[in-house]
Each structure stands twice: as structure tokens, then as C-alpha cells.
């Protein structure tokens, strides 16, 4: 072991316990750890609060939908056999015996040779088994119509249970609820649903150089970026951020803030102080908790290699790089899946929005790590072109100008101009 690493271990672990911060894990290993987390507990919410939440149980329809035969077109309810052979030259002549009022049960019963005027959504009267569209009828007088086109049985009609049958599963456990899902629940009379709780996330930004965005900039200081990007990610993913603020490079203060986060949150995220160096204190503080399990200090990715993942009392704790681009890429690749897992989604079910594009230039990459390259997309004819955006990991601008990113896997040494690549969209 290099002597500098030996002394660093003595600083972090004065009792001689060598840490795992040099044991780098792969992206796949970290995602496996994340997928092993159990979802949070559940709660019942109204349909108004269910959008974006994850269903905690299967839901079966308590009734048929629709519960009665309904017209899907404006026209006339008829007996289908009365339309057989109808044409412009030889129309079928039917007597109109009434009209279906919307929202009411028809009081008439149709017999052969009769028709009832009906609007879209109206209940089919007894004896009718189809609806002729109004476009295929001619009015002879107030009591008589001509039908100029035949229809098949139950044409322009939805029968009871044809849309959704009683007992049919309409929501699957683990589904993220969309507006149409909430709509179908309301349609079958369900007004509350059991969902997984929103994750509560505590966020700490560390560094003597950091100041609040409200403060005037002075030489040697920078405004906190990571604290706000991480809060934004939480809000975007339906989690509840708890920004604990800026922590100076002080172990006691950081430990106190982590303790506050552990008491009130489902995960704690600390940006800054994860790189290997004597003034980086995050690993030392995390390790000082008696029920800590250091899962990794280092992930074989770029940017974002010096990332800490630990559990304190079973609660996931992330130590993120301080550089904004590195921090945000780690958040995109690992923290977003963590939030979705806590919300009840399976990692395997999480689909990133992506498209195929052609690289605009060659890209070099170091083998042994997954390289995540931010790209800007532009359209050329019927294809997308991905233009790599390069810049230091401290540059947030590389993310501002990027539409997404590509991954060059660790077993490759680069990608070539014109090569088709998957672009994962932000």
C-alpha cells in the first residue's frame, strides 16, 4: 500500500480499521444495491393526490364499465335486422317512436320497424341492438326516417363490461399512476388508493467555500449549486427534499446535520468532501456512526468516481462529489433510481427516455470505467446528431447545454464519428 494511503487510513480510522474507500464498485453493482432497497411504507390518498404516485396493491374493478349499453355515435337505435339490404336506391323505412334523454333510462321498447333517436353516450333502449349513424339516415317527416346503409350487430354500441369487466385488474401493484389511471378509478367509483409514501430526503452541502445564493459573491467563495440541483431532482421525482443547508468543513457540525437527517428522512445526501484527501471529512464522519455499513467509496464511472454509498441504521447515505457536473451525473445515474425504488418502482421497470443518434466526432475513453459524456442533439434530415460537450467536472454549463448523455462502457476505449449511440435524455 502507498504510504500516503496508509497515513490517510490512520487519519480516518485511528484505531487501525482500514476503510473500504479504495474498493471501487461498478455501476451495475451499485444499481443492484439500490434495487435491493425495500419500498417505503404505504398510505391512502385521494385520487387528486395520486398522480405520479406508485400503487401499493393490485386494484380490481368493482363493477362493469359501462354498466349499461351505450351509444358511441349520434344517430338512431334500431333492430339491426331492419337495416339489412339498405342502400341509397332501396332504403329501409323506419318509424321514429321517441328519443333517448341523456342520463335517463329509456321508457320505450323498440320493435321491428321502429327507431329511437339517440345521442352519443345515451342508454340503448330495450329491443335495440345497434345504432345507425345520423349521416346514414334521411328524415322523411317528424315520424319517419330512411336508412341508406346496413349495420352489424352492436355496431356503434358499447355493451356492459365491454370496456372493463367486473373483477378485471385495472391497476397493477408497482404501477406509477398517470392521469388516465386516475380517470379509470373514478369511472368505477374508487376515490382513494393505497400508494407508497413519498421519500423524504435530507440534503447537505459541505465546504468552507460555499455561501448561500442570497449572499453577495466575494473572492474565495462560491454559491451553493448542488444543494439546489439535488432539491430539484427530488421535486421532479415526487420526493420531498429537506435542505439542511451549508455545512463547513467541520466533523462535529457535519455529524450533527447527518443525525438530524437520519431522524427525519429516508435517505441523506451529502455533496462535497468525498474525494480522497486529508481535508475531506465525509467518509470519516459517516464511519463514526456505530451502525454504519460502508458499501463503497468509489464507483468505476466518470465523472463521479469518488462517490460514497453507505447505510446508517439501514438508511442509505450518499456522499457525492462537490463538482456540480459530477454531482448531477451521479444523481441522474443513481439517485433518481433510488428515489423511484423507494417510491415502489422496480429498477427493471424504470425506463429512461432515450433515442438513437450518430456521433459528430470521435471520443476517447479510458477502459475500466463507464464514461458518461454529455451531448447536445441537433437534427439533420431524418436523423439525430449527438455533439459531445466536454468540460471540467466543476462546470455546470456542460449540463445546461446538454440534452442528454451517452455511456461508453468500461470495456471500450472510445466511440467513433458516425457511430450510432443511445442518448439518454435529461
Amino acid at each position: 500500500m502507498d504510504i500516503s494511503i496508509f497515513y490517510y487510513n490512520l487519519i480516518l480510522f485511528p484505531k487501525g480499521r482500514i476503510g473500504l474507500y479504495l474498493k471501487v464498485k461498478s455501476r451495475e453493482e451499485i444499481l443492484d444495491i439500490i434495487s435491493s432497497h425495500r419500498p417505503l411504507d404505504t398510505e391512502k390518498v385521494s385520487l387528486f393526490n395520486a398522480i405520479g404516485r406508485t400503487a401499493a396493491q393490485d386494484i380490481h374493478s368493482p363493477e362493469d364499465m359501462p354498466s349499461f349499453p351505450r351509444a358511441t355515435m349520434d344517430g338512431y337505435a334500431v333492430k339491426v335486422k331492419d337495416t339489412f339490404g339498405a342502400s341509397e336506391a332501396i332504403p329501409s323505412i323506419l318509424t321514429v317512436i321517441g328519443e333517448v334523454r341523456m342520463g335517463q333510462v329509456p321508457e320505450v321498447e323498440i320493435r321491428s320497424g321502429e327507431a329511437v333517436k339517440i345521442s352519443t353516450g345515451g342508454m340503448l333502449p330495450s329491443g335495440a341492438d345497434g345504432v345507425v349513424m345520423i349521416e346514414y339516415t334521411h328524415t322523411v317527416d317528424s315520424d319517419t326516417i330512411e336508412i341508406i346503409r346496413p349495420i352489424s350487430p352492436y355496431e356503434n354500441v358499447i355493451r356492459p363490461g365491454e370496456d372493463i369487466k367486473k373483477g378485471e385488474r385495472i391497476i397493477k401493484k408497482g404501477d406509477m399512476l398517470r392521469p388516465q389511471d386516475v380517470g379509470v378509478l373514478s369511472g368505477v367509483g374508487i376515490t382513494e388508493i393505497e400508494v407508497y409514501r413519498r421519500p423524504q430526503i435530507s440534503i447537505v452541502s459541505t465546504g468552507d467555500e460555499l455561501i448561500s445564493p442570497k449572499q453577495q459573491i466575494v473572492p474565495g467563495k462560491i454559491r451553493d449549486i448542488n444543494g439546489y440541483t439535488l432539491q430539484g431532482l427530488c421535486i421532479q421525482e415526487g420526493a420531498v427534499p429537506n435542505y439542511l443547508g451549508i455545512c463547513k468543513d467541520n466533523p462535529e457540525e457535519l455529524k450533527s446535520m447527518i443525525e438530524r437527517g437520519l431522524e427525519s428522512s429516508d435517505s441523506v445526501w451529502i455533496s462535497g468532501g468525498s474525494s480522497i484527501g486529508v481535508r475531506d471529512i465525509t467518509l470519516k464522519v459517516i464511519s463514526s456512526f456505530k451502525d454504519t455499513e460502508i458499501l463503497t467509496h468509489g464507483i468505476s464511472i466518470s465523472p463521479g468516481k469518488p462517490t460514497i454509498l453507505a447505510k446508517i441504521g439501514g438508511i442509505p447515505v450518499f456522499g457525492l462529489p462537490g463538482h456540480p457536473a459530477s454531482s448531477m451525473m451521479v444523481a441522474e445515474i443513481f439517485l433518481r433510481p433510488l428515489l423511484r425504488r423507494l417510491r415502489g418502482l422496480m429498477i427493471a421497470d424504470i425506463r429512461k427516455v432515450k433515442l438513437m443518434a450518430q456521433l459528430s466526432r470521435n471520443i476517447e475513453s479510458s477502459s475500466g470505467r463507464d464514461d458518461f459524456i454529455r451531448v447536445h442533439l441537433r437534427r439533420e434530415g431524418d436523423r439525430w446528431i449527438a455533439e459531445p460537450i466536454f468540460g471540467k467536472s466543476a462546470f455546470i454549463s456542460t449540463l445546461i447545454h446538454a440534452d442528454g448523455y451517452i455511456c461508453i462502457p468500461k470495456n471500450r476505449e472510445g466511440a467513433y464519428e458516425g457511430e450510432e449511440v443511445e442518448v439518454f435524455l435529461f
Side-chain angles (χ1 to χ4, degrees):
M1 180 183 288
D2 181 90
I3 191 66
S4 63
I5 295 174
F6 175 76
Y7 280 118
Y8 184 57
N9 270 292
L10 288 181
I11 293 170
L12 290 180
F13 306 99
K15 294 183 179 180
R17 180 166 56 90
I18 301 300
L20 298 177
Y21 69 99
L22 291 176
K23 186 178 180 181
V24 175
K25 280 185 165 57
S26 69
R27 172 174 53 124
E28 293 78 13
E29 289 175 308
I30 299 301
L31 289 175
D32 284 343
I33 292 172
I34 290 172
S35 66
S36 70
H37 280 288
R38 295 178 62 85
L40 301 177
D41 52 1
T42 66
E43 61 182 353
K44 270 196 172 181
V45 299
S46 69
L47 293 188
F48 293 109
N49 296 312
I51 298 294
R53 305 293 290 274
T54 308
Q57 59 186 18
D58 289 348
I59 299 178
H60 298 81
S61 177
E63 59 189 45
D64 284 336
M65 183 177 178
S67 59
F68 59 88
R70 300 177 60 199
T72 62
M73 296 287 180
D74 293 342
Y76 290 89
V78 299
K79 283 187 175 295
V80 168
K81 66 179 182 179
D82 288 339
T83 71
F84 292 167
S87 66
E88 290 271 8
I90 309 175
S92 294
I93 309 298
L94 299 180
T95 300
V96 179
I97 62 170
E99 181 177 354
V100 175
R101 301 289 181 183
M102 290 299 294
Q104 295 183 4
V105 177
E107 297 178 352
V108 297
E109 180 178 348
I110 292 181
R111 293 172 295 184
S112 182
E114 297 177 338
V116 170
K117 192 172 184 180
I118 193 168
S119 299
T120 301
M123 182 175 180
L124 216 65
S126 178
D129 57 1
V131 173
V132 179
M133 293 173 60
I134 200 165
E135 292 90 332
Y136 300 115
T137 66
H138 294 153
T139 301
V140 177
D141 56 41
S142 60
D143 297 322
T144 311
I145 59 168
E146 293 180 341
I147 295 174
I148 61 174
R149 173 180 167 179
I151 61 171
S152 57
Y154 295 102
E155 187 170 336
N156 302 319
V157 173
I158 300 179
R159 286 178 281 179
E162 188 176 354
D163 192 359
I164 294 173
K165 295 186 184 304
K166 182 178 180 178
E168 179 183 342
R169 186 176 69 179
I170 51 177
I171 300 294
K172 179 166 59 67
K173 179 180 178 180
D175 282 349
M176 189 165 64
L177 296 165
R178 305 163 298 173
Q180 57 265 46
D181 300 319
V182 167
V184 77
L185 290 172
S186 69
V188 297
I190 296 174
T191 59
E192 287 188 327
I193 180 172
E194 192 85 14
V195 296
Y196 291 103
R197 184 168 54 77
R198 293 183 187 274
Q200 307 278 328
I201 307 297
S202 284
I203 298 168
V204 180
S205 296
T206 68
D208 290 335
E209 73 281 11
L210 295 182
I211 59 174
S212 164
K214 297 178 181 179
Q215 293 179 264
Q216 186 66 36
I217 201 72
V218 295
K221 299 292 185 180
I222 58 173
R223 296 189 180 96
D224 180 22
I225 293 175
N226 293 346
Y228 289 83
T229 55
L230 294 174
Q231 288 182 82
L233 178 76
C234 288
I235 293 170
Q236 192 179 63
E237 282 297 328
V240 181
N242 176 25
Y243 180 56
L244 299 180
I246 295 170
C247 178
K248 301 301 181 184
D249 290 324
N250 180 293
E252 290 75 21
E253 182 182 352
L254 180 57
K255 184 166 186 177
S256 175
M257 294 180 81
I258 293 175
E259 286 173 341
R260 284 168 51 199
L262 294 171
E263 289 171 0
S264 60
S265 304
D266 303 299
S267 183
V268 178
W269 301 350
I270 308 149
S271 79
S274 63
S275 300
I276 294 177
V278 294
R279 74 181 281 277
D280 298 315
I281 62 173
T282 302
L283 182 61
K284 179 180 179 181
V285 171
I286 291 175
S287 301
S288 68
F289 288 84
K290 64 179 181 180
D291 50 356
T292 293
E293 180 185 3
I294 303 293
L295 300 173
T296 189
H297 185 199
I299 306 176
S300 56
I301 63 171
S302 176
K305 180 177 180 180
T307 297
I308 301 167
L309 172 56
K311 286 184 180 180
I312 301 178
I315 295 176
V317 177
F318 275 84
L320 305 173
H323 290 320
S326 296
S327 176
M328 198 59 205
M329 285 306 300
V330 171
E332 183 69 28
I333 298 162
F334 301 113
L335 299 187
R336 193 183 293 276
L338 173 68
L339 292 177
R340 295 186 179 185
R341 183 67 189 121
L342 293 176
R343 288 168 50 205
L345 296 170
M346 295 296 294
I347 293 293
D349 294 335
I350 297 171
R351 301 283 182 262
K352 286 185 175 292
V353 180
K354 59 187 178 182
L355 55 77
M356 302 304 295
Q358 291 183 345
L359 275 180
S360 66
R361 53 162 292 178
N362 294 341
I363 301 176
E364 293 183 358
S365 175
S366 299
S367 60
R369 71 184 187 191
D370 293 328
D371 266 350
F372 293 92
I373 311 296
R374 281 79 74 199
V375 297
H376 168 69
L377 291 169
R378 58 180 170 85
R379 192 79 173 174
E380 279 191 5
D382 60 351
R383 60 178 182 162
W384 287 102
I385 303 297
E387 298 178 340
I389 298 175
F390 297 105
K392 297 179 180 179
S393 56
F395 291 175
I396 191 68
S397 59
T398 61
L399 291 171
I400 295 299
H401 300 303
D403 299 301
Y405 62 91
I406 65 172
C407 176
I408 301 178
K410 55 181 175 288
N411 58 352
R412 293 192 57 183
E413 295 183 352
Y416 296 97
E417 179 181 349
E419 181 178 338
E420 194 170 52
V421 293
E422 281 187 329
V423 179
F424 299 94
L425 303 179
F426 287 127

